[in-house]
Amino acid sequence: PENVLAVYAALWLLRELRESFTACNIPIDGPERREFSSQRQALGKLVELPSLVGCLPAARQVSRGRTERNLIRQVSVRLRRREVSNASPYSDLVSWVRQSLDGDAATNPGEIDWAFYGDRFDTKLFELWCLQEIAEEVSRQLAVDPPVLNGDWRSTGAAYTWDRPAGVLKLYFQHSLATVSPRFRARWHKTGDGDRTLGGVPDIVAHAIRRVNNEEYVAILDPKLRQRSGPPTEELYKILGYFDNFSVTSAPFGAIIYHTTSQESHPQYHYEIPENLGDLYAVALNPAARSSLAGLAPIARMLLQLLDISPLFDDGIGSDSADPEAVEEGQVRARLAELQALALSLPTNVLDASRRRVQAMIEDERWLVLSSDVRTMLATSEYVGFSLDVTADFSGPVIGICASVEVLLHERIIDPAFGDNVALHDSCRTLGQVIYATRSAMESPSNEVQRAIGRQLDRMQVNPQLLGGLLAELMEMNTEYRIPAAHRELVTDSRWRSAWNMLIGPEKLLAATIDLLVIDQGAVEEG
């Protein structure tokens, strides 16, 4: 009976192979066709062995009569009585067939290398897919459009580049650390072979140069087209080997990205050095399950950390929302978060120099009425705007200086008008909404939002003509500068300079806003 069971299982596999092959449109030269032929021949030869070929009629009868469980009981009895020589494989066979009949998972695939189009092609395809998805996630976290793939990425250049206020981040595909930057040289040398070093080419290298001090940081990312039942320990140690050989010891960052076919379970593992800067991740991804891409979020945050950029937003608002206003505000928050993170990393003397320059432009009396946060934001915007390369995106510093007048509108008009009423505040999330509601409150208020603002304007005794002129200029600023910067348009150096001239420079829009909403109000209150 145990040999009948073996033949029955082989016939079952042959039937499954034929049905699967028939259901798939496989190219004539496809590796799946070659694999099908190979497995079919192996199983066909198995049932033709002298010790098994006589069992074919009985095995077919079991299949026709659906008496598999009776056969399993017979074999189990013989195994218990130790009537079967070499019992171990037959015991495994009984368990396997029983689990298959019960509809349970019958095997653990263990570590599997894909071979649909040959080992080399499949591995490369997974690596390239990971490269693109990492670039997408970094861009999402930065709230910017993904950069265009650089033309020389296959030779000497980076695949993707982000030029941010904090510095430049680049992703390289299959470059040695030594070719990414001369700072990272291999320590291990081959004896008796001149200057030949023990190299190594990671699949993906992230290289960051911080703008403040030109310090360089790298992260090593290795996609592996293997399925694992636990953390990929061997591959993680390979990353540690890269760290040691290339002297990446002060701030080591790395990740292994391995393959899974699961639609639901996507394990993530995180390792760190306590009380030291460094992260090591292992993340399982399934290209067929978009939900698995959430595993790239901590890796993207790790790459932004190379530039000392904190997570810009954790709730995803501004990235995937269908609400245009939420997208706009998410963009603004992201740019301001970048400026705030940069301000924390700037040397005190650098930021102080920018503070003094802005203070001189708007004059002491106006500077002193601004909050500490607004002063820092203006100083950081000044530093970034006049230190970025002319080809960079200037949306951050543009939003930074525009935010200074937006803060004043909220501090002097919106917050006193609405108090703790969340619903009223939600109606004025964007600068455009604030300007429109304030203008309507001056002309013909038609709802509670506008009436509340109107009452505040009455309390302020603000000059309607002056406020109307100021709102017109603020609307122009919003249309020309803030909205383009918040909508992922590339803000050029010339547009940044125009925005600077309008707000801080000769046109003095910030000064006019301070005068009308703060200094003149002080005179009214004293009177």
Side-chain angles (χ1 to χ4, degrees):
E2 59 269 19
N3 288 336
V4 172
L5 183 63
V7 173
Y8 166 81
L11 293 176
W12 186 357
L13 286 175
L14 280 167
R15 185 173 64 253
E16 293 282 351
L17 275 173
R18 283 194 298 271
E19 291 176 357
S20 299
F21 183 79
T22 302
C24 298
N25 184 18
I26 299 174
I28 294 177
D29 59 347
E32 298 95 334
R33 185 182 292 271
R34 293 194 298 271
E35 186 70 10
F36 164 74
S37 299
S38 174
Q39 297 296 341
R40 184 182 60 179
Q41 291 175 9
L43 288 168
K45 291 179 180 179
L46 175 71
V47 298
E48 292 174 359
L49 290 173
S51 59
L52 297 180
V53 69
C55 301
L56 275 169
R60 292 193 176 104
Q61 183 59 41
V62 168
S63 182
R64 285 193 294 268
R66 311 310 302 167
T67 57
E68 297 92 342
R69 296 190 185 279
N70 290 335
L71 178 61
I72 288 175
R73 280 194 291 272
Q74 294 176 34
V75 178
S76 298
V77 169
R78 284 175 54 79
L79 288 169
R80 283 198 304 271
R81 294 175 178 174
R82 299 185 179 180
E83 296 174 359
V84 179
S85 60
N86 194 19
S88 180
Y90 285 104
S91 178
D92 291 341
L93 178 64
V94 167
S95 298
W96 177 43
V97 175
R98 181 184 288 119
Q99 285 180 271
S100 298
L101 292 171
D102 292 340
D104 297 331
T107 60
N108 179 5
E111 298 182 19
I112 297 176
D113 289 324
W114 282 7
F116 298 160
Y117 299 94
D119 293 342
R120 181 178 177 185
F121 180 85
D122 281 342
T123 300
K124 184 76 70 176
L125 185 62
F126 184 67
E127 293 164 357
L128 289 169
W129 177 79
C130 289
L131 174 71
Q132 178 181 333
E133 293 299 336
I134 291 168
E136 293 274 356
E137 180 60 23
V138 169
S139 299
R140 191 193 73 83
Q141 298 246 358
L142 282 171
V144 298
D145 286 332
V148 177
L149 184 68
N150 296 330
D152 60 347
W153 68 280
R154 288 188 180 90
S155 53
T156 59
Y160 297 102
T161 300
W162 295 266
D163 194 340
R164 308 307 309 158
V168 178
L169 175 65
K170 296 184 177 183
L171 280 187
Y172 290 86
F173 184 69
Q174 294 188 336
H175 278 60
S176 168
L177 269 71
T179 64
V180 168
S181 170
R183 176 196 160 186
F184 303 103
R185 297 186 178 277
R187 298 168 56 211
W188 289 85
H189 291 247
K190 186 176 181 181
T191 58
D193 196 6
D195 196 38
R196 187 169 183 177
T197 59
L198 180 63
V201 180
D203 291 322
I204 301 171
V205 173
H207 178 227
I209 302 179
R210 296 185 180 179
R211 199 175 305 280
V212 175
N213 48 22
N214 289 322
E215 287 187 358
E216 298 182 56
Y217 295 87
V218 293
I220 299 170
L221 313 176
D222 244 4
K224 296 296 179 187
L225 192 59
R226 293 175 184 166
Q227 298 179 32
R228 305 299 297 261
S229 57
T233 307
E234 293 180 6
E235 288 85 351
L236 289 171
Y237 272 101
K238 180 181 178 182
I239 296 283
L240 297 181
Y242 282 130
F243 289 156
D244 178 77
N245 189 32
F246 291 95
S247 301
V248 184
T249 54
S250 60
F253 296 96
I256 293 293
I257 304 168
Y258 61 102
H259 174 252
T260 179
T261 57
S262 172
Q263 294 289 324
E264 298 178 355
S265 177
H266 309 121
Q268 298 181 29
Y269 305 92
H270 178 217
Y271 305 86
E272 63 181 1
I273 305 171
E275 301 179 1
N276 195 6
L277 187 63
D279 290 291
L280 190 59
Y281 288 93
V283 173
L285 295 186
N286 179 2
R290 299 298 297 178
S291 59
S292 75
L293 294 180
L296 291 177
I299 295 178
R301 287 194 289 269
M302 176 184 71
L303 298 186
L304 295 182
Q305 191 178 353
L306 301 181
L307 290 178
D308 203 22
I309 297 176
S310 303
L312 301 185
F313 45 85
D314 297 323
D315 55 11
I317 292 176
S319 58
D320 303 318
S321 174
D323 182 357
E325 293 172 358
V327 171
E328 178 180 325
E329 291 313 296
Q331 301 286 98
V332 171
R333 286 165 48 197
R335 300 289 76 77
L336 293 178
E338 274 195 273
L339 292 175
Q340 291 163 0
L342 178 60
L344 294 175
S345 65
L346 284 172
T348 303
N349 63 319
V350 171
L351 202 57
D352 283 346
S354 289
R355 283 193 180 97
R356 289 194 298 272
R357 285 192 291 268
V358 179
Q359 182 176 355
M361 294 291 291
I362 68 172
E363 300 181 4
D364 292 350
E365 183 182 8
R366 299 186 183 102
W367 177 258
L368 293 175
V369 302
L370 297 175
S371 68
S372 174
D373 288 343
V374 171
R375 293 180 200 170
T376 299
M377 183 167 53
L378 287 169
T380 309
S381 299
E382 192 270 352
Y383 167 78
V384 173
F386 292 107
S387 63
L388 283 175
D389 185 86
V390 293
T391 61
D393 177 16
F394 288 80
S395 59
V398 166
I399 286 177
I401 59 175
C402 291
S404 62
V405 295
E406 186 174 3
V407 168
L408 288 170
L409 288 173
H410 277 273
E411 288 180 348
R412 309 300 295 189
I413 299 176
I414 301 301
D415 293 345
F418 296 164
D420 296 329
N421 192 317
V422 176
L424 295 182
H425 279 285
D426 285 344
S427 68
C428 287
R429 287 184 297 177
T430 69
L431 178 58
Q433 290 171 334
V434 170
I435 296 172
Y436 174 80
T438 305
R439 179 187 291 167
S440 299
M442 295 171 57
E443 298 169 354
S444 54
S446 60
N447 54 46
E448 181 55 32
V449 171
Q450 297 167 10
R451 285 190 288 269
I453 294 175
R455 289 191 291 269
Q456 172 60 15
L457 295 179
D458 289 340
R459 288 191 291 269
M460 295 173 65
Q461 300 180 35
V462 66
N463 185 310
Q465 186 174 359
L466 293 178
L467 181 57
L470 177 66
L471 291 175
E473 290 187 77
L474 292 178
M475 182 60 76
E476 180 185 353
M477 177 207 75
N478 189 45
T479 303
E480 290 294 321
Y481 305 113
R482 185 185 182 276
I483 290 177
H487 286 184
R488 297 191 179 186
E489 293 184 24
L490 178 65
V491 178
T492 62
D493 175 52
S494 62
R495 179 168 284 189
W496 148 251
R497 292 176 184 274
S498 296
W500 174 266
N501 288 337
M502 182 180 193
L503 280 138
I504 314 296
E507 298 177 43
K508 296 185 179 297
L509 180 56
L510 175 58
T513 306
I514 296 172
D515 289 345
L516 184 62
L517 299 184
V518 183
I519 294 177
D520 290 353
Q521 287 303 302
V524 169
E525 292 169 4
E526 289 179 6

